[in-house]
Amino acid sequence: MDEKLHFVLLPFMAQGHTIPMVDIAKVLAQRSGITVTLLLTPSNHARVKPIIDRSSQLGMDILVQELIFSAEEAGLPAGCENLDALPSTSLMGNFFTAVYSLRPQIETLLRKMHPKPCCLVADMCFTFMAEVSQELGIPRIYFHGMSCFTFLCAHQILTSKILDTVSDEFEYFDVPGMPHKVSFTESQVKGMAAPKNKGWMEFNDKLIVNEDAAYGVIFNTFEDLEHIYIREYEKVRHKRIWSLGPVSMFNREPADKVIRGKTSSVDVDQCLKWLDSWEPNTVVYACLGTISNLTAGQMLELGLGLEASGRPFIWSIGSSGDGHNESKELLQKLMVQDGFEERVGTAGRRGLMIWGWAPQVLILSHRAVGGFLTHCGWNSSMEGISAGLPMVTWPLIADQFYNEKLVVDVWKIGVRVGAKRTMEFGKEEEIGVQVRKDEVRRAVEKLMDGGDEEGEARRKRAKELANKAKEAVEGGGSSYVNIGKFIEDIRNLATMKNQL
């Protein structure tokens, strides 16, 4: 084929979904003879525009087509185009209504595109894309923004109906059909397997149909990390799988790490200067994700625990968008009343607090950082692994308890902070404070104590995984090769179609 291959990518409007998809766009566009088009709403386009502009300067052919997001028509504030901008989690249904209303626009854009798309990579949350791709005759790839382990566990839990035998939400059960013993409580898995929730089951049924109709599945993972789960998932779902990660590691230059996601809320030079003032492996970086729904009281306990640990720390607070301003304001008020910010940030200089978006990959890769307190979102987990860091795990929602299981029990590079219950949207105040400051302090101290044999072994394993991640994305590595295989598969499909 003389004509360029044209890949169209449709990221879901949440940072944990968009960031790896934009990384994948760059990974594809770095290969010769490929054009990539991203379908983005205006505000989400604005977030990643610096990345697109820089990629274009480096010779990558990445285009953007904007989608009009009908926020107000769906009962959302004007300009609310990302999950992290929701003023309340009760509006989640409205947000998905606006997402589903994008279908006619997407169909029209795809029909008009030239050259015609040879492949559509769509996030799992766009459940209508199975029908769209079939109608237009465009091969569709299903993007899973979570671990393969998570989807294998959820599949086995749902198909076995094991939760029908569990009487208490805090009772542990073994997941059937796994390649090794894996145990959870019902509370921990309900973010990905909630058969008692009718709305969730209807959505999950759509996800399964959507995946069934896809040509294949992309995971942001790598063979050395999840080989056993990738092979098992291929068997139970009968799907082609390409593991292309860690996609964050394809951002090799500091400039790429700074702009990844969206513009930083902190002066990057000042942040690096602060980090430079500390010895290697002494700083703790704490961030609980873009849609953390912890109460202000619980967040203060986290801050007090970091302070009590005696370690220098960077705390990315409220790294979400405008949707959590009320909670941020309450947290700031509590900090002033307690004197925390003055003790730690102003007078003590031992803590750097970032109110907004932090350049996480850049921070994690700094020599001074020796530990990562994380919510175990898959992107953060992969970024922590890529940086060779042991982790304190504090799962909140969705797939995060599954990822904690990998980090602590399978890879043995983490320490649990003690969270036992999924932070269900709308029930935050009812759940309240799960983890006290002393539990945070103990977990951080255990993670950062380099003198103890267990801690040294944990840190050594983390470094070994980082080396394997680096090998995966370098020339000849498993992910590098899989990217080539994926492109060649799509090229062959396009050639066959043209010959018909």
Side-chain angles (χ1 to χ4, degrees):
M1 282 181 69
D2 295 324
E3 199 171 64
K4 271 190 167 188
L5 290 180
H6 185 193
F7 288 77
V8 177
L9 274 59
L10 179 59
F12 184 64
M13 301 81 170
Q15 289 297 85
H17 295 246
T18 300
I19 291 173
M21 188 77 93
V22 172
D23 283 338
I24 290 170
K26 290 171 60 179
V27 165
L28 292 172
Q30 284 171 1
R31 303 289 176 108
S32 62
I34 291 179
T35 295
V36 177
T37 297
L38 284 162
L39 303 184
L40 300 167
T41 66
S43 72
N44 289 294
H45 182 193
R47 290 186 182 198
V48 301
K49 191 175 185 302
I51 303 170
I52 306 301
D53 290 346
R54 176 168 163 78
S55 299
S56 298
Q57 291 166 8
L58 295 173
M60 295 177 224
D61 195 358
I62 302 179
L63 309 172
V64 173
Q65 289 273 9
E66 286 198 349
L67 303 168
I68 299 169
F69 195 74
S70 303
E72 291 176 281
E73 290 87 337
L76 300 169
C80 181
E81 300 177 10
N82 195 292
L83 271 187
D84 68 19
L86 285 178
S88 168
T89 55
S90 64
L91 293 172
M92 196 78 76
N94 303 62
F95 189 83
F96 273 90
T97 297
V99 169
Y100 296 148
S101 73
L102 292 169
R103 176 173 174 170
Q105 285 184 71
I106 293 171
E107 286 190 40
T108 301
L109 282 172
L110 292 172
R111 288 182 192 277
K112 291 181 177 179
M113 279 184 183
H114 184 78
K116 187 174 179 181
C118 66
C119 175
L120 176 63
V121 182
D123 188 278
M124 55 182 275
C125 291
F126 293 98
T127 54
F128 55 78
M129 288 311 296
E131 295 175 7
V132 171
S133 62
Q134 286 169 351
E135 286 174 15
L136 301 181
I138 304 171
R140 180 179 56 91
I141 306 300
Y142 195 68
F143 174 62
H144 273 321
M146 303 176 187
S147 67
C148 198
F149 173 81
T150 291
F151 279 95
L152 180 60
C153 284
H155 172 86
Q156 302 293 29
I157 291 168
L158 288 167
T159 54
S160 69
K161 301 188 185 301
I162 184 69
L163 290 182
D164 290 347
T165 68
V166 178
S167 56
D168 186 287
E169 68 172 332
F170 298 109
E171 172 190 342
Y172 276 91
F173 66 91
D174 292 341
V175 180
M178 292 298 289
H180 57 79
K181 181 180 173 67
V182 179
S183 302
F184 288 107
T185 67
E186 182 184 347
S187 177
Q188 292 172 338
V189 303
K190 65 173 58 175
M192 290 294 295
K196 296 169 188 175
N197 182 319
K198 185 181 177 184
W200 187 94
M201 280 304 294
E202 288 174 355
F203 180 67
N204 188 67
D205 288 344
K206 290 178 182 177
L207 292 179
I208 293 171
V209 170
N210 200 20
E211 184 184 301
D212 284 341
Y215 176 69
V217 180
I218 285 176
F219 279 99
N220 176 21
T221 189
F222 60 100
E223 285 287 337
D224 274 344
L225 191 70
E226 288 202 274
H227 174 83
I228 189 171
Y229 312 122
I230 294 170
R231 299 289 87 79
E232 285 296 315
Y233 197 69
E234 281 176 330
K235 284 183 197 173
V236 300
R237 299 294 293 134
H238 311 292
K239 302 305 296 182
R240 295 177 184 83
I241 293 177
W242 300 276
S243 54
L244 309 184
V247 293
S248 64
M249 291 196 78
F250 288 100
N251 297 282
R252 295 183 172 92
E253 299 299 322
D256 295 312
K257 295 175 183 179
V258 168
I259 60 176
R260 186 170 179 263
K262 61 180 180 180
T263 304
S264 174
S265 301
V266 67
D267 183 312
V268 174
D269 290 336
Q270 286 297 110
C271 181
L272 292 176
K273 186 178 178 182
W274 185 88
L275 282 167
D276 288 341
S277 70
W278 297 100
E279 293 296 315
N281 299 320
T282 56
V283 175
V284 179
Y285 173 68
C287 179
L288 295 181
T290 54
I291 51 173
S292 166
N293 60 338
L294 292 178
T295 62
Q298 177 64 91
M299 290 291 279
L300 182 60
E301 290 288 319
L302 164 56
L304 293 173
L306 290 170
E307 178 188 13
S309 75
R311 269 69 178 180
F313 63 87
I314 294 181
W315 182 15
S316 177
I317 310 169
S319 55
S320 52
D322 298 327
H324 301 273
N325 283 335
E326 189 176 322
S327 180
K328 288 181 192 175
E329 288 168 7
L330 180 55
L331 177 58
Q332 285 177 314
K333 185 178 179 181
L334 291 173
M335 284 181 168
V336 170
Q337 290 174 353
D338 181 82
F340 172 83
E341 195 158 6
E342 183 180 353
R343 286 195 312 273
V344 173
T346 309
R349 207 199 127 264
R350 194 165 50 77
L352 177 62
M353 283 159 282
I354 301 175
W355 293 87
W357 187 259
Q360 182 162 292
V361 171
L362 187 71
I363 292 170
L364 292 175
S365 63
H366 195 281
R367 62 178 181 80
V369 177
F372 183 16
L373 190 155
T374 174
H375 63 307
C376 298
W378 187 238
N379 288 319
S380 288
S381 299
M382 290 294 280
E383 289 159 16
I385 286 167
S386 301
L389 293 174
M391 304 179 220
V392 169
T393 60
W394 190 331
L396 305 174
I397 55 173
D399 60 322
Q400 294 163 16
F401 279 96
Y402 296 81
N403 298 334
E404 179 186 56
K405 185 71 65 174
L406 283 173
V407 171
V408 178
D409 297 332
V410 178
W411 303 326
K412 300 186 188 302
I413 60 170
V415 175
R416 288 182 174 85
V417 79
K420 296 180 174 62
R421 180 177 177 182
T422 296
M423 290 294 296
E424 296 176 67
F425 291 122
K427 294 186 178 180
E428 290 89 351
E429 293 300 330
E430 174 190 324
I431 296 169
V433 175
Q434 284 197 83
V435 181
R436 296 290 176 183
K437 66 178 182 181
D438 284 343
E439 293 171 295
V440 177
R441 174 186 57 78
R442 279 194 292 269
V444 170
E445 287 176 347
K446 184 175 181 181
L447 190 82
M448 299 297 286
D449 188 355
D452 121 286
E453 190 175 317
E454 182 186 356
E456 288 293 346
R458 191 183 299 117
R459 195 167 292 279
K460 182 182 176 184
R461 285 190 291 269
K463 294 296 183 189
E464 289 170 351
L465 284 179
N467 289 334
K468 290 179 179 179
K470 185 180 179 184
E471 289 170 3
V473 300
E474 288 181 341
S478 61
S479 294
Y480 185 92
V481 169
N482 283 342
I483 292 162
K485 287 180 179 177
F486 169 56
I487 292 170
E488 198 56 34
D489 280 351
I490 300 303
R491 190 185 301 280
N492 291 337
L493 272 180
T495 302
M496 288 170 56
K497 195 170 181 182
N498 286 346
Q499 291 173 347
L500 291 176

